[in-house]
Structure formats: C-alpha cells, structure tokens
Amino acid sequence: MSGCMEFMCWSPKACEIYLEITGKSPTSPCPTRWNSYYDCITDILKVQEIINEVLRKLGLAVLKEIEVQFLIEYINTSKPISEAIRSLEGDKETFYGCLQPELYRMHKMLDLLKQENPVYCGGLIDIIKESIQNRFEKYNLHDTRAKDSILAAVSYTFFKLKWVPRAEKEYVKELFIAELRRFKQEDFKSAHPQTSTLKKKQKSESYYMFNDSDSSTTSTDGNSSTCTDLEALQYLRDEDTSLNILNTYPTIKKVFLRYNTCLPSSAPVERLFSYGELKNGSDGGPAPRGPRRDDVTASSKRVATFREKTTGQIGIAVPLKLYVSM
C-alpha cells in the first residue's frame, strides 16, 4: 500500500506520462473526500495491464502480480463501505430511513465476501465488521435507541419491511403499528380537547360504575386503533414505492415527516460557490479587472451564474435575499 501511495502523488510531468500511455488522467487521494483513496486504486486497476509501463518510465518499482491481487481483494473488501458512503452522502432522496438498510446491506455483502475465503483480506473483513458493530451499536434492532431509525426506514416507501431480517419482521411491524396508534391518539386528543363539562360527565359515569365496554370513549379508541392497523397493513402490502403514495396514508405520512426530515445537504451550496467564472475568466485566465464587489453583490452574482448554468435562463444579479424569496 505504501508503494501505491508513492506513485499516486503525481507530479505534473508524471501526469503527462500517465495520460500519454493510458489515455486518461490520473487521480490522487484527497483528504476531504471520503472515497478518494478507494477511487484512486480503482482507477489504477482499470489500467493494470499497462500500469507497469507507466511506472518503468517514471523510474518506480513495478507492481508484482501478488500486489495486484492484493489490491483487487482490498477494493472488493472496501466496496460495501464505499458504496454506502456514496449513497448516504447524496443530496437527492437521501433520508434518515436509508441508514438502517445500508447497515444491513454492508453486513450481508461482507458475509458473502468472507464466504469466498479471501487470501489476503480475510482479517480485514473481520476488522471492518467489528468496527461497524462498535460504531453503530445503538442501531441494533432491539436497542431502544434504534427506534427512530427503524421507524424512519419503515415509513420510507422504498424500503418498508424489505430490509428487515425475516426473524425480526413481526417485531418491527408491531413497533411501526404502535407508533401509528400513538400518532392517531395525539390527533384525536388535539381534535377533541377535554373540557370541564366532559370531566364532570366522566366523574358521573364513574360514580355509577358503568362497564368499560359501554363507554363511548373506549369504543372510539377501539375503532381508531382498528383503522390505524388497517392503514398500516395496506401500506406494507402496497407495491408502489413512490413517495406520492404517502398522500393515501395520512398517518404514515406524518410518521415519515417526523422521522425522515433532516438537515439539507451542503452539496448544492458547495456547487453554487464552485463556479470559476467568479474568480477566473471563462477561459481559465485571470478575471477581468473591475470595481470591487461587496458581499451582497458577489452572492447575487453567484446565484445568477448558478441559475444560468442549471436552467439555461439568464439570471439577474439581484440581492441574494431577494432571489431566495422569489
């Protein structure tokens, strides 16, 4: 691995040689990108037949066959984590409900890799599994701290109960139905607040020792629970996985919004401020000289440029707060 690090730190001259021989530009690890190291080794393996020619021309030690095999096993072992990171760091349709299914997917893939009896990375698989278990201990299904993540996953229409192990499906389904009942009871209480008259009536009923089964309140609660259970069962059987079906299940929609609403990703903002035209000219050269811009003008210019790039519409450099309100 140290040898890989040595030739992945490309100099400008080395980049030219790499491009000339392989026909593609090299990539280098970036400490601010989680998957950059994985991506760099993947790119090297894509040109493994001619990578030694590049190394010879650079005066570096060539890769032996055993080293190439190790890199292949290393990439296969790291792939579940890399794919999970790439999935969870997305800025579209990425919710808290994606976490639990991703954790179970990683465990399944690592178990399958272990069954293949890898020559070099068998111990690494065990270390990764142990690290995931320790880091995400609170997300075990029967841990009380995992309740929010479970409800977020089940209320997400794409997953429902598909990700749950067969032995745990009944437990997770009961947990989901219990949460729906709680939401339904909260809605009923907010729609029918108890007044002083109702309290007096309840006291009078208790004085005469009416049976619980004759109480209208108990009957209403029973009907509400039955409707909630029916809504949950219909939702779990529904084969539609689009978010639009949540409009058909109002209580489940509330659960989804409660547990899957998260902070927005910073990716769109990073892209917004990454346009080089604000710093450099359109040809990559220095920016044309002009009057010094204040923060508001610069921000509005970024938004206008972003709008033109993404929608094709020519933006007007209005103050940022006005543009956002539009």
Side-chain angles (χ1 to χ4, degrees), residues 53-234:
E53 183 180 349
V54 178
L55 296 177
R56 290 191 191 97
K57 200 158 187 178
L58 293 174
L60 299 174
V62 298
L63 289 176
K64 301 176 183 177
E65 182 63 26
I66 190 174
E67 293 173 330
V68 173
Q69 293 302 317
F70 169 77
L71 290 178
I72 293 174
E73 280 196 14
Y74 176 81
I75 287 299
N76 291 336
T77 303
S78 305
K79 187 176 181 179
I81 298 178
S82 176
E83 291 180 340
I85 291 175
R86 188 170 285 113
S87 173
L88 294 174
E89 71 178 357
D91 59 335
K92 293 182 180 179
E93 296 186 2
T94 301
F95 303 98
Y96 186 36
C98 298
L99 179 58
Q100 281 281 8
E102 284 291 351
L103 292 176
Y104 273 90
R105 180 180 181 274
M106 280 193 292
H107 279 293
K108 286 182 180 179
M109 293 187 68
L110 291 171
D111 288 339
L112 292 175
L113 288 172
K114 189 67 175 179
Q115 293 175 9
E116 296 176 2
N117 297 319
V119 179
Y120 308 105
C121 295
L124 179 59
I125 294 176
D126 295 332
I127 293 174
I128 291 176
K129 290 179 63 176
E130 183 180 356
S131 298
I132 293 174
Q133 182 65 31
N134 294 336
R135 173 64 178 84
F136 298 98
E137 181 182 5
K138 67 178 182 179
Y139 292 99
N140 291 331
L141 286 185
H142 290 278
D143 194 313
T144 56
R145 297 171 294 178
K147 177 184 175 182
D148 289 2
S149 61
I150 294 173
L151 295 173
V154 180
S155 62
Y156 187 11
T157 55
F158 182 78
F159 294 114
K160 298 178 182 177
L161 292 177
K162 300 172 187 175
W163 59 277
V164 184
R166 185 174 302 176
E168 306 291 348
K169 281 188 183 295
E170 197 62 31
Y171 164 75
V172 173
K173 184 169 75 173
E174 289 300 323
L175 184 67
F176 181 61
I177 293 176
E179 185 69 8
L180 293 183
R181 290 172 182 168
R182 188 178 71 83
F183 268 71
K184 202 73 173 180
Q185 290 176 357
E186 289 180 356
D187 292 343
F188 182 81
K189 290 178 181 179
S190 60
H192 302 83
Q194 291 184 347
T195 61
S196 58
T197 305
L198 182 59
K199 290 180 180 179
K200 290 181 180 179
K201 180 180 178 181
Q202 290 175 342
K203 184 181 292 185
S204 176
E205 290 176 353
S206 63
Y207 174 79
Y208 286 103
M209 296 183 292
F210 291 145
N211 294 328
D212 291 341
S213 59
D214 296 333
S215 171
S216 59
T217 303
T218 304
S219 177
T220 304
D221 291 342
N223 293 335
S224 176
S225 298
T226 302
C227 293
T228 303
D229 295 0
L230 183 60
E231 179 182 351
L233 294 176
Q234 288 177 342

Side-chain angles (χ1 to χ4, degrees), residues 11-49:
S11 65
K13 182 63 177 177
C15 289
E16 293 179 6
I17 296 174
Y18 187 97
L19 178 61
E20 178 185 348
I21 296 177
T22 65
K24 57 177 293 186
S25 299
T27 55
S28 300
C30 176
T32 60
R33 298 295 179 187
W34 292 333
N35 279 339
S36 64
Y37 191 69
Y38 171 88
D39 293 336
C40 288
I41 298 180
T42 302
D43 288 343
I44 290 173
L45 291 176
K46 288 179 181 178
V47 294
Q48 58 179 295
E49 293 82 5

Side-chain angles (χ1 to χ4, degrees), residues 246-262:
L246 290 174
N247 296 322
T248 311
Y249 308 100
T251 308
I252 297 173
K253 182 177 181 179
K254 293 179 180 179
V255 175
F256 174 84
L257 293 176
R258 170 74 65 85
Y259 293 104
N260 278 294
T261 301
C262 57

Side-chain angles (χ1 to χ4, degrees), residues 263-303:
L263 294 175
S265 170
S266 63
V269 180
E270 292 175 1
R271 285 196 291 269
L272 174 63
F273 285 88
S274 67
Y275 287 101
E277 289 83 354
L278 301 176
K279 241 189 210 181
N280 305 319
S282 58
D283 58 351
R289 294 178 178 271
R292 186 187 183 102
R293 298 188 181 101
D294 56 19
D295 291 341
V296 174
T297 305
S299 298
S300 62
K301 178 63 177 175
R302 287 190 182 94
V303 173

